[in-house]
């Protein structure tokens, strides 16, 4: 099984046993004593108590401070928005070791770089191993790295050769925010819009692509699909309000979630090509008497870091600097994500580069957790994220659970199977202990300034 966490395994083990017992007992043990019917309730109680004890233990454990440079916050920095209520289960997605607001690194690892980022994470794009992090599940404001979620949701659905006419609504962006320079009534192909979005962080391009991706539902439909896609990927701490990453109430993500989203993006050949494009040209609009112009990739990683694969920059006054960057070295592809950084002494991409340098120093088997796999995995435990449609959002109020899949219990259990279930129920505490320590192997995937951004 791939993409599960110890917390998820504990819940699913008990749930499967309880479900099996509820089917088997009426068929195979009609004369069971009354106290036998309390076993499922006892198992559920044991599961709840185990989760509560685990959460209490994590809370009692002091966080290890993340290395920080000795710099003062800039004057006038806005207060961080109030994050959603803490959920111990969501904080442990990917492994219990990730449920910390401080530093988590493998034993014996070199000291990570001192960064101004409030949270960060380094992971292997192919194996899904998390190499280390600082508050990996801390909520943060995304700024334009949210455009990666737009790409993960919409890029596979749009024909890159399709010609599009820009509307007034596409250009309705926050004054002073970044735009690639689309003009009302201008005609552009979808590929050019993606280049404008990824290279120049164009919020006008984001609105246009979101409108196209949403069909008749327009931008709101795409934002809903982005949130459904986040849940499908296991990015349960991510909530999009705008397609571009311009600030909106209740808009959050985490360094861990960004790694999940980036992993899907870098699995897409079109995204990889766009992300490594250094310069592109916006076509002239002769009918509107507007000339064409050249624009450049703002992600300096691709110009300065050997093996760079690209990524995305972001900045708003509220979010500060955010960054996602990936690189390849000696057959390994790593991604670094960070939130809430300042531009001094290192800019966002430089902090990402420092994290990548640190990650490449670690051995290939170093790990403190996992990037969970999306829903819809095939029989080999892999997922085709290029063709899978965005998931339908669950009913309001439904709490998502970390991604995991188990076969439904058989509805034709024999007496022997029912007896085995009873034994397993009695052994639930041992199962919880064993599954907490269980590790899962993951098959490698094929390799295939300050302006509002």
């Amino acid at each position: 099984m791939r993409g599960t966490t110890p917390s998820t395994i504990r819940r699913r083990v008990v749930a499967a046993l309880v479900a099996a017992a509820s089917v088997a007992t009426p068929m195979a043990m009609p004369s069971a004593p009354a106290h036998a019917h309390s076993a499922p309730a006892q198992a559920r109680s044991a599961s709840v108590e185990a989760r509560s004890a685990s959460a209490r233990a994590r809370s009692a454990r002091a966080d290890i401070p993340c290395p920080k440079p000795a710099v003062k916050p800039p004057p006038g920095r806005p207060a961080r928005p109030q994050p959603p209520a803490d959920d111990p289960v969501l904080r442990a997605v990917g492994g219990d070791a990730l449920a910390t607001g401080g530093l988590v690194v493998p034993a014996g690892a070199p000291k990570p770089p001192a960064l101004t980022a409030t949270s960060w994470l380094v992971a292997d794009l192919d194996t899904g191993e998390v190499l280390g992090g600082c508050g990996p599940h801390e909520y943060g404001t995304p700024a334009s790295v949210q455009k990666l979620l737009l790409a993960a949701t919409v890029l596979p659905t749009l024909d890159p050769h399709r010609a599009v006419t820009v509307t007034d609504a596409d250009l309705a962006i926050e004054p002073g925010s970044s735009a690639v320079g689309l003009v009302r009534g201008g005609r552009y192909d979808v590929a050019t819009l993606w280049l404008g979005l990824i290279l120049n962080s164009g919020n006008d391009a984001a609105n246009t692509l979101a409108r196209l991706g949403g069909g008749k539902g327009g931008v709101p439909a795409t934002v809903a699909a982005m949130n459904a896609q986040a849940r499908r990927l296991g990015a349960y701490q991510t909530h999009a309000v705008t397609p571009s990453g311009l600030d909106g109430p209740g808009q959050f993500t985490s360094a861990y979630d960004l790694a999940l989203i980036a992993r899907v993006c870098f699995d897409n050949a079109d995204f990889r090509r766009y992300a490594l494009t250094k310069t592109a040209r916006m076509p002239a609009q002769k009918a509107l008497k507007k000339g064409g112009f050249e624009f450049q990739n703002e992600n300096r990683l691709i110009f300065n870091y050997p093996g760079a694969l690209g990524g995305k920059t972001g900045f708003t006054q509220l979010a500060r600097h955010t960054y996602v960057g990936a690189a390849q070295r000696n057959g390994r592809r790593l991604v670094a994500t960070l939130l809430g950084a300042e531009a001094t002494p290192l800019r966002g991409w430089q902090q990402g580069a420092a994290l990548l340098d640190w990650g490449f120093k670690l051995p290939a088997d170093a790990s403190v957790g996992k990037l969970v796999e999306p829903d819809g995995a095939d029989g080999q435990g892999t997922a085709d994220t290029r063709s899978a449609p965005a998931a339908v959002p669950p009913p309001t109020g439904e709490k998502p659970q970390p991604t995991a899949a188990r076969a439904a219990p058989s509805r034709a259990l024999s007496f022997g199977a029912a007896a085995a279930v009873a034994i397993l129920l009695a052994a639930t505490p041992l199962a919880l202990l064993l599954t907490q320590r269980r590790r899962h192997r993951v098959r490698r995937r094929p390799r295939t300034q300050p302006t509002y951004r």
Side-chain angles (χ1 to χ4, degrees), residues 40-378:
Q42 292 171 351
R44 286 193 295 269
S45 177
S47 173
V48 171
E49 179 56 31
R51 293 200 307 273
S52 300
S54 177
R56 288 194 298 270
R58 289 195 300 267
S59 298
R61 187 174 61 221
D63 290 338
I64 300 173
C66 302
K68 300 285 184 182
V71 296
K72 294 182 179 179
R77 174 174 175 165
R80 297 179 65 187
Q82 182 66 33
D86 185 43
D87 186 323
V89 173
L90 298 188
R91 285 176 67 85
V93 172
D96 285 348
L98 303 181
T100 176
L103 184 68
V104 54
V105 298
K111 185 178 180 180
L115 307 177
T116 59
T118 56
S119 61
W120 55 262
L121 181 135
V122 180
D124 190 306
L125 284 172
D126 296 304
T127 67
E129 299 289 351
V130 176
L131 306 186
C134 167
H137 281 295
E138 295 293 301
Y139 284 99
T141 309
S144 277
V145 293
Q146 178 133 295
K147 291 180 171 74
L148 295 181
L149 180 57
L150 175 63
T153 305
V154 175
L155 195 154
T157 71
L158 296 179
D159 180 355
H161 304 294
R162 176 181 174 183
V164 179
T165 301
V166 171
T167 68
D168 283 330
D170 297 333
L171 305 180
I173 60 177
E174 184 176 318
S177 67
S178 62
V180 72
L182 305 181
V183 295
R184 182 178 66 85
R187 294 277 291 175
Y188 309 89
D189 60 42
V190 166
T192 299
L193 296 177
W194 284 118
L195 288 168
L197 178 110
I198 296 171
L199 274 63
N200 212 233
S201 205
N203 296 324
D204 46 358
N207 284 349
T208 308
L209 290 164
R211 172 173 61 83
L212 296 177
K216 293 182 179 180
V219 173
T222 291
V223 172
M226 289 167 65
N227 287 316
Q229 174 77 320
R231 287 189 291 273
R232 191 185 76 85
L233 298 180
Y236 300 117
Q237 293 179 295
T238 294
H239 178 68
V241 176
T242 67
S244 62
L246 285 172
D247 297 324
Q251 184 161 269
F252 288 100
T253 190
S254 69
Y256 180 89
D257 284 8
L258 287 176
L260 295 176
I261 295 164
R263 197 181 188 196
V264 172
C265 289
F266 282 104
D267 269 355
N268 186 294
D270 288 335
F271 178 87
R272 293 195 301 271
R273 184 175 66 256
Y274 296 145
L276 279 177
T277 301
K278 294 184 176 181
T279 60
R281 186 163 185 83
M282 193 60 63
Q285 302 297 316
K286 295 181 180 179
L288 302 174
K289 298 181 179 180
K290 298 287 185 179
F293 56 90
E294 188 176 85
F295 56 98
Q296 189 179 61
N297 198 322
E298 295 180 348
N299 180 12
R300 305 308 299 175
L301 190 80
I302 69 170
F303 298 97
N304 297 284
Y305 195 89
L309 297 173
K312 188 70 193 73
T313 62
F315 176 83
T316 68
Q317 288 290 344
L318 185 64
R320 313 311 294 171
H321 292 271
T322 61
Y323 185 72
V324 173
Q328 181 171 322
R329 185 179 296 174
N330 297 326
R332 299 174 72 190
R333 296 191 310 158
L334 302 186
V335 64
T337 66
L338 59 92
L339 294 165
E342 297 299 338
T344 56
L346 296 176
R347 297 177 62 184
W349 75 266
Q350 292 172 316
Q351 297 189 48
L355 287 173
L356 290 170
D357 281 343
W358 175 80
F360 282 121
K361 292 177 183 176
L362 300 179
D365 60 352
S367 178
V368 296
K370 291 282 190 181
L371 297 180
V372 296
E373 292 295 325
D375 286 327
D378 64 24

